[in-house]
Amino acid sequence: MIASITNGFPIWVLIASALALWRPGLFTWFAGPLITVGLAVIMLGMGLTLGLEDARRVSDRRLSLGTGVLLQYTVMPAMGWSCAWLYGLPTPFAVGLILVSCCPGGTASNVICYLGRLNVALSVAMTAASTILAVVMTPTLTAWLAGSRIDVPAVGLLLSTVQVVVLPLIVGGLMKKWTPRLTARLLPIAPLVAVATITIIVASIIGAGRDAILEAGPRLILAVASLHASGFLFGYLLARLLRADIVTARTVSIEVGMQNSGLGVVLARQNFADPLVAIPSAISSLFHSLIASLLAAVWRRMARA
């Protein structure tokens, strides 16, 4: 039952987003510190799944891991800047798109890889590695690519990333080591909590920015969709070019194309005065989930053939 609800993640995000545009008040109460706490809970859940065995997985797949992380922090930031320029987005939306493109891989990618019968262990390792590197890479790349448009508080982004990513991961890892019984009880519901929390965060941001989203219309939606579509495409093609096997290339594709949009929302809200900067991250969660779910369904069917 829990697995079925969790696997329906894109559907819940789509429904909640539509409701937020119709009745923003249904979700806008979830704002401010609640969003930060929500993301910290999600990262804590991820921390519960990490341990020494994951470090061994990383050491066994150094080449594939390095390929995935390299593409994560080159393909997506480059496409974020390109899409913002190509579609002529207003400054707040352009900065927001660049910010989410510089975020690490999202935890939902691990679920998608499982559904698509891909390399889940590699996906978890890439998510963990890109998340840890995000402490430096996300603020640095955002400041470099968006600095000409707006004053980017790189130090603030760095501190926020430590607060909502690193600390919860450490706490989760310590809980797994020192409280194994409690961890065993929490793990089955952790994905469901993550799905529910991300869905509420996305709907809250979309509800709060309803008027701006409707005004921006097709340009903003096309820019976000293009960002993720290009991430999935180039993630796969470049991984194959670097001689990865098909399953590994598909795994890299999912990891590169899916961003930690929740982190993008929190970083935007905590570090930029204009609330519109957070909107591309909220829309991002919807589109990368829909595209990745479609790819997982196709690849799962191909695996059965």
Side-chain angles (χ1 to χ4, degrees), residues 186-198:
L186 293 176
L187 278 177
I189 65 170
L192 179 59
V193 172
V195 166
T197 305
I198 292 174

Side-chain angles (χ1 to χ4, degrees), residues 90-270:
T91 293
F93 291 150
V95 173
L97 190 69
I98 291 171
L99 172 61
V100 75
S101 74
C102 296
C103 284
T107 54
S109 63
N110 309 147
V111 177
I112 294 296
C113 286
Y114 170 75
L115 296 177
R117 295 187 174 181
L118 305 178
N119 192 330
V120 179
L122 177 59
S123 176
V124 171
M126 283 193 290
T127 300
S130 67
T131 299
I132 293 170
L133 288 174
V135 176
V136 174
M137 298 302 293
T138 298
T140 302
L141 289 171
T142 302
W144 179 45
L145 294 172
S148 62
R149 292 176 175 266
I150 195 173
D151 183 24
V152 177
V155 175
L157 288 173
L158 173 63
L159 295 176
S160 295
T161 307
V162 172
Q163 176 189 2
V164 299
V165 175
V166 178
L167 294 181
L169 282 176
I170 292 174
V171 171
L174 291 175
M175 286 179 63
K176 180 175 182 179
K177 181 177 181 179
W178 298 110
T179 59
R181 291 184 180 179
L182 176 60
T183 300
R185 292 179 181 178
L186 293 176
L187 278 177
I189 65 170
L192 179 59
V193 172
V195 166
T197 305
I198 292 174
T199 300
I200 294 174
I201 289 175
V202 169
S204 170
I205 299 301
I206 288 180
R210 175 182 181 275
D211 294 339
I213 292 173
L214 294 177
E215 182 180 347
R219 271 196 306 166
L220 177 59
I221 291 173
L222 283 173
V224 175
S226 298
L227 168 66
H228 291 293
S230 58
F232 291 118
L233 175 62
F234 290 120
Y236 178 82
L237 293 178
L238 292 174
R240 289 292 284 164
L241 188 63
L242 293 171
R243 299 185 178 181
D245 60 76
I246 291 179
V247 172
T248 297
R250 290 173 177 173
T251 304
V252 170
S253 171
I254 294 297
E255 197 65 29
V256 171
M258 297 188 75
Q259 301 296 91
N260 190 333
S261 302
L263 176 61
V265 168
V266 172
L267 294 180
R269 280 298 182 90
Q270 289 187 343

